[in-house]
């Protein structure tokens, strides 16, 4: 089986990344810097992808557009690789990252992997989405594949490939939280995955060298 390469990339700088308020996670747009990052990212892709995947969120789709324009023969699909959004009680309220911080801390301190705050996604749901994504990627031949996604989703993929957790239980959730806090994925950077056996991927050491994070 031919080797499959996957580039898993976080979206460009968004308005919420620079402290702006947001009320609906999926509608936050890129900043002017984010748009420039997206253009440079598209130019830096080293070979034509056969598939470009984006999350349904606006900032990821805006980041993908220059690559879609550069590679018109690549298929473009929307997959559920959106950001981990778990504070359902804040949905519809315009809040900043700073204002959400105590709610975020309380959620992770509780460490309940099945908790769905006001119907939002649980940690177990996130792990399930990552596993589904890896399975779908493993079914895709030939490659390469460019995936425009979000910081926590990229980190969860990395964590799962590096630690091979079993059940998405309380211990796993705490382990992921530690990994998340210790790891940084800048805007328009990410990781490369390689596979020769279906959904069994290896994480290529270091981040994708050709991505260009500066504004």
């Amino acid at each position: 089986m031919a080797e499959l390469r996957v580039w898993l990339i976080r979206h460009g700088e968004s308005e919420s990344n620079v402290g702006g308020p947001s009320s609906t996670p999926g509608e936050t747009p890129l900043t002017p810097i984010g748009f420039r990052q997206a253009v440079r990212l598209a130019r830096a892709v080293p070979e034509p992808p056969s598939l470009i995947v984006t999350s349904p969120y606006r900032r990821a789709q805006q980041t993908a557009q220059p690559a879609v324009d550069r590679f018109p023969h690549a298929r473009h699909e929307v997959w559920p690789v959106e950001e981990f959004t778990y504070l359902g009680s804040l949905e519809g309220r315009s809040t900043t990252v700073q204002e959400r911080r105590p709610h975020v801390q309380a959620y992770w301190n509780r460490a309940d992997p099945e908790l769905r705050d006001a119907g939002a996604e649980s940690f177990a749901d996130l792990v399930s989405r990552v596993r589904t994504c890896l399975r779908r990627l493993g079914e895709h031949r030939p490659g390469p594949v460019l995936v425009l996604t979000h910081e926590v989703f990229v980190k969860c993929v990395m964590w799962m490939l590096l630690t091979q957790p079993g059940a998405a239980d309380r211990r796993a959730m705490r382990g992921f939280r530690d990994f998340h806090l210790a790891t940084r994925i800048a805007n328009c950077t990410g990781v490369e995955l390689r596979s020769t056996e279906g959904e069994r991927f290896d994480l290529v050491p270091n981040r994708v060298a050709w991505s260009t994070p500066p504004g």
Side-chain angles (χ1 to χ4, degrees), residues 104-125:
V104 169
Q105 191 63 49
Y107 172 84
W108 289 103
N109 285 345
R110 186 166 176 177
D112 180 353
E114 301 293 340
L115 175 64
R116 293 186 177 91
D117 177 53
E121 187 176 36
S122 70
F123 176 72
D125 293 331

Side-chain angles (χ1 to χ4, degrees), residues 25 57 83-91 100-109 112 115-123 125-126 129 152 173 176-177 180:
Y57 283 12
E83 186 59 288
F84 181 34
T85 304
Y86 50 87
L87 296 178
S89 58
L90 299 183
E91 183 74 19
R100 291 190 292 273
R101 186 162 288 126
H103 300 274
V104 169
Q105 191 63 49
Y107 172 84
W108 289 103
N109 285 345
D112 180 353
L115 175 64
R116 293 186 177 91
D117 177 53
E121 187 176 36
S122 70
F123 176 72
D125 293 331
L126 170 64
R129 279 201 293 122
V152 177
M173 186 173 180
F176 173 71
R177 178 62 170 169
H180 171 54

Side-chain angles (χ1 to χ4, degrees), residues 127-150:
V127 170
S128 178
R129 279 201 293 122
V130 168
R131 286 178 171 148
T132 298
C133 177
L134 291 173
R135 176 183 55 76
R136 292 182 69 179
L137 288 171
E139 294 170 351
H140 182 79
R141 292 293 193 282
V145 181
L146 177 63
V147 181
L148 279 304
T149 179
H150 303 261

